[in-house]
Amino acid sequence: MIPLRDINRSTRFPVFVVVLIVLNGLVWFYELSLGHQLRKFFFLFGVVPSFYFDPDYWQTTGLIVGVLPLFTSMFLHGGWLHFLGNMLYLWVFGDNVEDRLGHFRFLVFYLVCGLAAAALHIVTNSASRVPTVFFFQLMELPAIIFIGIWFIIQFFSGAFSLTISSGGNLGGTAYWAHIGGFAAGIILVLRHQRRARRFYTM
């Protein structure tokens, strides 16, 4: 299933959704220009789980450079479908989230979910040396159902990838990163809703 649009209109322009899509697009087209240098680029700016358990990695890179891929990997994609799919989801669902949370909180939300995604991917693929780079039918579905189906697909894809992996060398599609980001998003949204309810009842 591919989300084409939602039926919930936003009350304000999704500034950071647009900014993030533009940034992802710029990085994606830069990737396309790299040719044979793309592999090196992925190892520099993608998350390689095994590196984070290697003391030599931290001694060589230092703390700041060492954690940088946790952020830069959010903007990397492994192919046209990966890129277009992520941007479509961000455009369809992100505007409502930014509208609800506000611009700055949405940006923080986006980054925190990305960090949670990277953390879960690292923990579930600790031996992997592969850098992480993140049927058609028209119908109208509630977002909760659509995202629920997407979550189930990600969960079983992640579980299956762990089952067939050998020596921890998984592919670059970070199913558990998707699940980690999803879980972090749910927690943050629920926390935000509880705060909002307390504010309105005061």
Side-chain angles (χ1 to χ4, degrees):
M1 295 183 298
I2 298 176
L4 299 180
R5 64 185 183 277
D6 62 24
I7 59 174
N8 301 311
R9 293 186 177 181
S10 301
T11 60
R12 47 188 161 184
F13 184 75
V15 176
F16 280 113
V17 167
V18 173
V19 169
L20 289 169
I21 289 175
V22 170
L23 287 176
N24 275 279
L26 291 174
V27 173
W28 169 241
F29 284 107
Y30 180 68
E31 286 180 37
L32 294 178
S33 72
L34 290 177
H36 296 298
Q37 297 298 316
L38 183 60
R39 176 181 172 84
K40 181 180 179 180
F41 181 77
F42 278 162
F43 273 95
L44 285 175
F45 297 104
V47 170
V48 181
S50 64
F51 287 0
Y52 291 88
F53 300 93
D54 185 356
D56 292 338
Y57 171 75
W58 295 106
Q59 291 178 1
T60 302
T61 62
L63 180 61
I64 295 178
V65 176
V67 301
L68 184 62
L70 298 177
F71 294 92
T72 56
S73 63
M74 299 180 198
F75 300 92
L76 302 182
H77 295 89
W80 275 106
L81 286 179
H82 189 201
F83 168 68
L84 293 176
N86 280 0
M87 295 306 99
L88 181 59
Y89 270 80
L90 180 57
W91 176 250
V92 171
F93 299 112
D95 63 328
N96 297 126
V97 179
E98 183 171 350
D99 188 46
R100 183 68 179 270
L101 296 180
H103 301 306
F104 179 72
R105 284 184 178 178
F106 171 75
L107 180 60
V108 173
F109 173 83
Y110 182 92
L111 295 175
V112 169
C113 290
L115 290 174
L120 184 58
H121 180 68
I122 290 169
V123 170
T124 55
N125 300 279
S126 58
S128 175
R129 293 184 175 274
V130 178
T132 303
V133 291
F134 282 120
F135 114 117
F136 299 96
Q137 184 175 2
L138 294 174
M139 63 174 61
E140 184 175 296
L141 288 175
I144 188 65
I145 294 178
F146 187 93
I147 296 175
I149 294 172
W150 172 87
F151 177 82
I152 292 171
I153 292 172
Q154 299 302 309
F155 178 82
F156 283 104
S157 296
F160 182 71
S161 68
L162 287 178
T163 301
I164 65 173
S165 63
S166 176
N169 293 321
L170 303 179
T173 304
Y175 296 111
W176 289 104
H178 292 166
I179 294 169
F182 177 86
I186 292 294
I187 293 170
L188 290 173
V189 167
L190 292 176
R191 185 177 180 183
H192 173 75
Q193 288 180 334
R194 284 198 297 269
R195 286 183 174 179
R197 280 197 293 267
R198 284 201 299 269
F199 175 78
Y200 288 117
T201 56
M202 290 178 63

